[in-house]
Amino acid sequence: MKFSTRLLFVLVSAAISLVLSACGPTTFIISKDNRAYYLGRKSESLHTMLCKSGDLEHILSETIMPDDLKKELYRFNCTEERSKEKVISLYLFLSPEEKENFKSIFRGYGYTINYVPC
């Protein structure tokens, strides 16, 4: 399979998984400076924290995931095409090692994972 065909297959599979699970968000919570958000949430504050600061671009550049997925995660988090559903679909596609690597790099940039400050 070509990578673009593979990506389409994965996105469709992930979308089906989301519909079947119906359990809400399936990414992770990132927090920094006493603010916490689910990765992929549509929020101007999150956009400022991740995108305008350049953090997400730097974080993605250090991950072990394929370049096409990095571009898509950036696109659906930081451009006018922001989409929680597409971020979740892409995140579901990541292997357990890629997910842990992604979270680890967030930690390296001062983010806390799956913690909501009071």
Side-chain angles (χ1 to χ4, degrees), residues 51 56-57 60 70-79:
C51 305
L56 186 60
E57 190 171 16
L60 288 169
K70 293 177 188 183
K71 289 176 187 173
E72 294 296 296
L73 278 168
Y74 184 83
R75 175 180 165 200
F76 294 124
N77 274 290
C78 294
T79 70

Side-chain angles (χ1 to χ4, degrees), residues 76-88:
F76 294 124
N77 274 290
C78 294
T79 70
E80 62 280 346
E81 295 180 71
R82 280 188 265 177
S83 170
K84 176 179 124 181
E85 293 78 15
K86 289 181 182 177
V87 170
I88 291 170

Side-chain angles (χ1 to χ4, degrees), residues 38-81:
Y38 275 100
L39 181 67
R41 179 176 172 213
K42 288 184 183 179
S43 161
E44 281 307 312
S45 297
L46 178 61
H47 186 264
T48 299
M49 186 168 69
L50 287 180
C51 305
K52 290 183 180 176
S53 71
D55 282 358
L56 186 60
E57 190 171 16
H58 294 294
I59 289 165
L60 288 169
S61 73
E62 294 181 29
T63 66
I64 60 172
M65 67 182 77
D67 287 341
D68 284 357
L69 285 176
K70 293 177 188 183
K71 289 176 187 173
E72 294 296 296
L73 278 168
Y74 184 83
R75 175 180 165 200
F76 294 124
N77 274 290
C78 294
T79 70
E80 62 280 346
E81 295 180 71

